């Protein structure tokens, strides 16, 4: 008998600290598999966020830097511009990318920086204990809106792919989900595309991944999968929003 | 016959693999692991087809698929 799924060498072989059923661990493995398959581990630099993935620099077996909250794209820009031979990715949550870091996100896309952003949309602030995020759904409870997000008070959720798709510099935008095994396989393809675009010098790529935070949603891990499929997907439809092949094209 | 081997020191008992398996081969153990979770286990013989979907969704790289 043969082992079919060897652990990727781009991931350090230690246990991760994430809660049971959290999507971060799945996406970490996918990024590591892509680094292995593209043979880029030794020249890759990752930017770890502030958020639950703050310790991801312990997990990825490539060079890593941990940046201030939301500044991932600015740090990635600096690394990529000074070391163009490196492959640079920024790993960010929704609080990080769409709230405090929105300016960095929008402007790095507008400049079409040749970087790859992996964006975990779990509709909540995970690390700090479940506050409302820019991506929290209408009616979804959070510690800062315990009765559910009310648009009159809290405004409306931000759809990052749709927003960025207005920018000519955003060359590749895809939204996927890790709530099913099939979705995980598609997510890996999207992450690979985002890295390949950078290798080919095609400019700004971002993959938005709908991901589970059962702990702060107050549900079981299995209910977490359902929450993504039934509550998040209607608001955040999956698909490719921009790709270098359809120049200037929008979904 | 293909099979999966669950690393009980990594498994956090999230049950995501039980839902991902198209053949419903996986169940949760009723005894605690050393880390204090009820780990997943291959519950039926002659069930696993080695498709690897359980390992795709496992957030903790706890499943080894053997063929
Ligand atoms: C400048 C600054 N402001 C606020 C915080 C507090 N803080 C830490 S993590 C976080 C949000 C985390 O949520 P998200 O980015 O969605 O990531 P997740 O934990 O859900 O993966 C905040 C507001 C901080 N560390 N630094
Ligand atoms: S709080 Fe949420 S995002 Fe953070 S590790 Fe736990 S499940 Fe994952
Ligand atoms: S490899 Fe496929 S058939 Fe076997 S336990 Fe996993 S999901 Fe089920
Ligand atoms: S998905 Fe992985 S961590 Fe979760 S129960 Fe199955 S083997 Fe354990």
């Amino acid at each position: 008998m043969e082992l079919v799924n060897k652990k990727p060498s781009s991931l350090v072989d230690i246990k991760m600290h994430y809660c049971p059923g959290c999507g971060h661990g799945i996406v970490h493995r996918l990024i590591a598999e892509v680094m292995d398959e593209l043979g880029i581990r030794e020249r890759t630099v990752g930017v770890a966020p502030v958020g639950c993935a703050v310790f991801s620099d312990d997990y990825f077996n490539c060079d890593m830097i941990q940046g201030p909250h939301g500044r991932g794209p600015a740090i990635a820009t600096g690394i990529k511009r000074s070391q163009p031979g490196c492959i640079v990715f920024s790993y960010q949550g929704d609080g990080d990318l769409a709230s405090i870091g929105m300016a960095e996100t929008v402007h790095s896309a507008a400049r079409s920086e040749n970087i790859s952003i992996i964006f975990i949309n779990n509709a909540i602030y995970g690390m700090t204990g479940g506050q409302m995020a820019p991506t929290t759904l209408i009616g979804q409870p959070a510690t800062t809106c315990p009765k559910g997000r009310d648009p009159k008070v809290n405004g409306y959720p931000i759809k990052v792919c749709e927003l960025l798709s207005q920018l000519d510099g955003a060359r590749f935008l895809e939204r996927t989900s890790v709530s099913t095994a099939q979705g995980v396989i598609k997510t890996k393809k999207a992450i690979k595309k985002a890295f390949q675009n950078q290798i080919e010098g095609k400019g700004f790529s971002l993959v938005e991944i709908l991901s589970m935070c059962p702990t702060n949603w107050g549900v079981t891990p299995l209910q977490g999968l359902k929450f993504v499929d039934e509550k998040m997907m209607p608001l955040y439809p999956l698909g490719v929003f921009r790709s270098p092949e359809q120049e200037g094209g929008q979904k | 016959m293909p099979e999966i081997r669950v690393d009980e020191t990594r498994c956090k008992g999230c049950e995501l693999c039980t839902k991902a398996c198209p053949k419903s081969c996986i169940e949760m153990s009723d005894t605690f692991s050393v880390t204090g979770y009820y780990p997943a286990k291959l519950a039926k013989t002659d069930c696993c087809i080695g498709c690897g979907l359980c390992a795709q969704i496992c957030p903790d790289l706890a499943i080894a698929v053997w063929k």
Side-chain angles (χ1 to χ4, degrees):
Chain A
M1 289 233 274
E2 213 181 306
L3 179 63
V4 185
N5 62 329
K6 287 203 184 71
K7 288 188 189 122
S9 64
S10 296
L11 205 60
V12 179
D13 193 10
I14 51 171
K15 282 182 236 171
M16 293 185 269
H17 70 282
Y18 301 113
C19 308
C22 171
H24 278 302
I26 304 174
V27 180
H28 284 19
R29 192 193 79 236
L30 298 180
I31 294 173
E33 287 178 358
V34 166
M35 276 197 262
D36 278 11
E37 285 169 23
L38 295 174
I40 54 171
R41 182 183 71 80
E42 297 214 329
R43 61 180 176 119
T44 299
V45 186
V47 185
V50 168
C52 283
V54 66
F55 296 133
S56 59
D57 52 347
D58 287 343
Y59 304 145
F60 289 115
N61 198 11
C62 58
D63 283 336
M64 294 291 294
I65 184 167
Q66 199 275 307
H69 206 17
R71 311 300 175 231
I75 299 163
T77 297
I79 299 167
K80 186 70 189 180
R81 286 193 179 203
S82 58
Q83 301 287 334
C86 287
I87 303 301
V88 188
F89 75 93
S90 173
Y91 186 102
Q92 301 178 256
D94 41 35
D96 188 87
L97 179 138
S99 190
I100 191 169
M102 188 52 120
E104 282 76 3
T105 305
V106 169
H107 285 283
S108 59
R111 299 191 305 269
S112 202
E113 295 296 340
N114 192 26
I115 56 176
S116 312
I117 296 188
I118 310 302
F119 166 40
I120 306 294
N121 179 357
N122 59 15
I124 201 111
Y125 283 16
M127 184 198 211
T128 42
Q131 294 81 6
M132 189 185 68
T135 46
T136 295
L137 310 177
I138 300 295
Q140 182 189 337
T143 55
T144 45
C145 53
K147 290 185 182 155
R149 182 174 189 162
D150 173 1
K152 285 198 201 91
V153 184
N154 313 115
Y156 292 87
I158 296 178
K159 302 174 192 174
V160 170
C161 277
E162 285 84 341
L163 187 80
L164 294 180
S165 67
Q166 306 304 313
L167 301 172
D168 291 334
R171 292 290 151 75
F172 176 64
L173 300 170
E174 181 167 355
R175 185 183 289 125
T176 64
S177 130
V178 290
S179 55
T180 61
Q182 290 73 16
V184 171
I185 293 165
K186 279 195 190 145
T187 299
K188 181 172 166 187
K189 282 198 186 123
I191 292 173
K192 197 165 188 178
K193 186 105 205 302
F195 277 80
Q196 259 161 346
N197 286 341
Q198 186 180 156
I199 293 168
E200 291 162 19
K202 289 192 171 148
F204 185 91
S205 298
L206 179 145
V207 184
E208 173 175 350
I209 302 162
L210 306 184
S211 177
M212 299 73 74
C213 176
T215 300
N216 284 299
W217 295 346
V219 301
T220 65
L222 282 180
Q223 289 167 338
L225 302 180
K226 245 180 133 182
F227 185 88
V228 174
D229 292 349
E230 290 174 11
K231 300 277 166 50
M232 291 182 76
M233 273 186 208
L235 179 69
Y236 300 118
L238 308 186
V240 178
F241 289 80
R242 277 182 87 102
S243 77
E245 287 74 40
Q246 40 162 145
E247 198 50 56
Q250 191 199 326
K251 200 188 163 192
Chain B
M1 198 71 196
E3 64 177 45
I4 58 158
R5 296 178 196 162
V6 177
D7 180 346
E8 293 198 359
T9 66
R10 277 182 177 266
C11 174
K12 292 177 186 159
C14 70
E15 305 186 24
L16 300 192
C17 53
T18 61
K19 176 122 188 278
C21 178
K23 308 286 282 178
S24 306
C25 312
I26 308 177
E27 285 172 18
M28 305 313 288
S29 167
D30 51 14
T31 47
F32 279 134
S33 65
V34 283
T35 43
Y37 294 108
Y38 293 114
K41 62 166 194 228
L42 188 60
K44 298 171 196 158
T45 46
D46 294 342
C47 180
C48 178
I49 53 170
C51 67
L53 293 179
C54 53
Q56 283 291 345
I57 206 154
C58 176
D60 289 283
L61 294 94
I63 301 178
V65 184
W66 289 80
K67 246 181 177 171

